[in-house]
Amino acid sequence: MSLGGRGNRGEGGRASPFETGLDRSAANHVALTPVSFLARAADAFADRIAVIDGDRRLTYRDLDARCRRLASALRGRGVGRLDTVAILAGNVPAMIEAHFAVPMLGAVLNPLNTRLDAATLAASLAHGEARALIVDAPFRALAEEAFEALPEPILVIAVDDPGGGLAYEDLLAEGDPDFAGPGPDDEWQSLCLLYTSGTTGDPKGAVYSHRGAYLQALGNALAFGLSADSVYLWTLPMFHCSGWSYPWAVVAAGGTQVCLRKVEPAAIYRAIAEQGVTHLCGAPIVLSMIVDAPDAVRVPFPQRVRCATGGAAPPSTVIAAMEALGFAVTHLYGATESYGPATICVPGPDWDALAPAERHGRMARQGVALPTVAAARVVDPATLAPVPRDGATVGEIGLRGNTVMKGYLKNPEATAATLGAGWYLSGDLAVQHPDGQIEIKDRAKDIIISGGENISSLEIEEVLTRHPAVMLAAVVAQPDATWGESPCAFLELKAGAPQPSEADVVAFCRAGLARFKVPKRIVFGPLPKTATGKIQKFVLREQARAL
């Protein structure tokens, strides 16, 4: 029986009516770009507060005009399509403005890590071929040191402190507030260049597209519950994965962004209370700062604040403490290569009935794909076949969709190795539960193999963070003459907490771990971190080998 019909292309090649006379036009096809969110917000919410920076307020009308001025002025200074404009700044209004103005011009924005050393900063500027750099006053000296290593000068725009150079506000005064930027020629056009944060010691430049950023922003806005009433506090560095897309996501929702120039507990509590903050994001270290803040800096607030965290699974003790303080914690998972968050932990209908420890443990899972991610699976890395959803079979997290990067700038070999199999393979080892929730067991390189047994560093870290004196824990492999490898724990203690001995911590671990998983060595002191709060385990592995 033939299933063909008048609407299908038959064996003779006759065109379907669904493919004839139904062409793309300016009326029904526009390239997706997050820049469009600002035009819509300025039209629909012109007098609504878009940005709060201390005592300063910008409405959406103001923000739109400033972004158009910046785009216009950059073009007047010779910046064109696919030229790179770098920015070295904290969470200030200029960062938000650059996320719209630069792609509005069809150029590529390169937010830079403010904790880079001058040599790495210079290498990033040279590798990305930056035509201009917007630099915030606290980082001017660092930038000037980096300029000495650049092969040729670039246009420098100084925020707050021009230092004899071109002032940011003067540049905006050159621009047209009604400038209609050309935007992208195609939604696949490059939008942002983001260098990986360096937890592996090998940063690479991930390239994002207009299409990917548009979808990522909407996926985050939907998953995190942003609305026109949302007040988003910038506790996450905007240079990290373009702030997980939230400069665009909050504008898409018509909400308000609150700038925070220094992430510290007193400023966080004060902003939440004074500005009515409803949402914030940050690495687990930010949650620990909030939980461990002294009573003197805590300010009461009546609203429930949604807090999204990622980068590592937050300890269940931190989730419990955050809830007690008035925060609702959402766990996200992703990477620079996936525009930040790719999965979100969605509580099951029966979780509220669970004992608190079990519920908080489940809340630390990596969860399910965002609605704008095509697929998030735990796969066998050799065959790419999905592993059974039994919560026990370990595989590697793979991601696929429009919110996976285009590739690494000028690095086709690394791009092919990372994306060539048709998936972005993360290097994270995980299981998938029957309800679809993904749970990381460890980074592939962080698994400790002791006497032929695989030991999860995350499992040990979870137990260590239950110790009342421990704020942060990181466990790595240490060479062992008998077992090949053994766990070595690095602990950062809470301020003012009694100092435990190595024997005290070992005894604590023995009560919660199998004997072969108990760390053989305990090291106390501050942990090395990236600017986004991720612990640099590659540094700790080197230290462990030297012990």
Side-chain angles (χ1 to χ4, degrees):
M1 176 180 174
S2 171
L3 297 179
R6 293 184 59 182
N8 298 316
R9 184 180 296 274
E11 293 182 1
R14 183 170 59 88
S16 165
F18 290 104
E19 299 294 337
T20 305
L22 301 175
D23 299 324
R24 296 181 184 182
S25 71
N28 63 22
H29 183 79
V30 178
L32 300 180
T33 173
V35 176
S36 65
F37 299 143
L38 180 57
R40 178 255 181 182
D43 183 58
F45 314 121
D47 296 320
R48 184 170 292 170
I49 299 299
V51 178
I52 295 174
D53 180 34
D55 295 331
R56 184 183 179 200
R57 302 289 188 274
L58 295 176
T59 65
Y60 271 108
R61 180 184 289 107
D62 298 330
L63 181 62
D64 181 64
R66 289 176 63 83
C67 291
R68 292 180 187 277
R69 284 184 180 275
L70 178 55
S72 171
L74 286 171
R75 187 166 78 165
R77 291 275 180 161
V79 176
R81 179 179 178 272
L82 294 179
D83 284 338
T84 303
V85 176
I87 182 166
L88 184 69
N91 288 344
V92 296
M95 256 290 205
I96 299 171
E97 291 162 4
H99 272 83
F100 288 94
V102 175
M104 181 188 296
L105 186 59
V108 178
L109 182 66
N110 177 207
L112 292 165
N113 187 328
T114 58
R115 294 186 184 178
L116 294 175
D117 59 86
T120 306
L121 176 61
S124 299
L125 289 168
H127 182 261
E129 302 181 29
R131 289 285 305 276
L133 172 67
I134 301 170
V135 59
D136 198 6
F139 313 107
R140 182 63 184 264
L142 172 65
E144 289 179 347
E145 185 180 351
F147 294 155
E148 297 176 3
L150 291 179
E152 53 187 61
I154 62 175
L155 174 65
V156 179
I157 304 112
V159 179
D160 291 340
D161 180 15
L166 176 61
Y168 183 80
E169 295 298 328
D170 289 344
L171 178 68
L172 263 62
E174 297 177 3
D176 179 0
D178 297 316
F179 176 67
D185 293 339
D186 180 86
E187 60 191 28
W188 181 245
Q189 185 172 310
S190 297
L191 165 91
C192 275
L193 169 64
L194 285 305
Y195 286 94
T196 56
S197 58
T199 54
T200 64
D202 181 27
K204 295 180 285 291
V207 179
Y208 295 174
S209 71
H210 283 254
R211 177 183 177 85
Y214 179 97
L215 292 170
Q216 179 73 4
L218 292 184
N220 275 330
L222 177 60
F224 200 28
L226 295 180
S227 71
D229 296 323
S230 297
V231 180
Y232 181 89
L233 178 63
W234 274 110
T235 47
L236 176 78
M238 262 187 263
F239 65 72
H240 179 49
C241 306
S242 280
W244 293 357
S245 86
Y246 281 97
W248 303 307
V250 179
V251 172
T256 300
Q257 302 181 63
V258 180
C259 293
L260 191 65
R261 292 171 183 253
K262 188 174 182 181
V263 180
E264 55 185 6
I268 293 172
Y269 274 99
R270 189 166 56 251
I272 291 172
E274 294 178 358
Q275 308 301 344
V277 169
T278 60
H279 294 74
L280 61 86
C281 297
I285 181 63
V286 175
L287 276 63
S288 296
M289 289 170 55
I290 293 171
V291 166
D292 296 324
D295 291 340
V297 307
R298 296 188 184 189
V299 181
F301 50 89
Q303 73 275 24
R304 192 78 166 167
V305 179
R306 294 191 63 170
C307 172
T309 188
S316 55
T317 51
V318 171
I319 293 177
M322 288 288 287
E323 287 188 341
L325 289 170
F327 295 85
V329 178
T330 298
H331 188 211
L332 307 170
Y333 165 81
T336 302
E337 290 83 350
S338 64
Y339 295 62
T343 70
I344 181 170
C345 185
V346 180
D350 59 337
W351 288 17
D352 285 342
L354 298 173
E358 173 67 13
R359 182 171 64 86
H360 294 144
R362 292 196 185 190
M363 289 174 64
R365 291 175 180 172
Q366 283 60 43
V368 298
L370 290 183
T372 44
V373 172
R377 299 280 187 272
V378 179
V379 300
D380 182 321
T383 65
L384 300 182
V387 302
R389 294 190 175 193
D390 56 10
T393 304
V394 175
E396 186 173 351
I397 297 177
L399 302 171
R400 173 184 286 167
N402 295 291
T403 54
V404 171
M405 66 170 183
K406 294 176 66 171
Y408 297 116
L409 183 68
K410 302 178 186 176
N411 199 336
E413 295 81 7
T415 299
T418 305
L419 306 179
W423 291 85
Y424 164 62
L425 296 178
S426 64
D428 289 317
L429 302 182
V431 299
Q432 199 155 14
H433 291 274
D435 62 0
Q437 300 265 355
I438 292 170
E439 180 182 7
I440 285 182
K441 292 302 181 182
D442 221 333
R443 289 287 294 174
K445 59 181 175 291
D446 292 338
I447 285 286
I448 302 164
I449 305 174
S450 184
E453 295 284 351
N454 286 354
I455 302 174
S456 167
S457 64
L458 295 183
E459 179 185 1
I460 304 173
E461 290 162 5
E462 167 67 21
V463 171
L464 286 166
T465 53
R466 296 174 192 163
H467 191 287
V470 174
M471 182 170 73
L472 296 173
V475 176
V476 299
Q478 181 180 29
D480 189 291
T482 302
W483 305 108
E485 293 179 341
S486 61
C488 176
F490 292 82
L491 304 180
E492 186 171 322
L493 302 180
K494 297 176 181 176
Q499 171 90 30
S501 67
E502 187 170 354
D504 292 334
V505 175
V506 168
F508 183 84
C509 288
R510 283 178 176 165
L513 291 168
R515 193 174 186 87
F516 74 95
K517 297 181 181 179
V518 174
K520 301 295 191 294
R521 183 73 183 269
I522 308 292
V523 181
F524 299 100
L527 302 184
K529 307 175 191 73
T530 69
T532 58
K534 295 180 183 177
I535 296 169
Q536 294 175 307
K537 283 196 171 182
F538 75 95
V539 175
L540 297 180
R541 279 191 286 271
E542 293 173 0
Q543 295 179 12
R545 284 194 291 268
L547 293 174

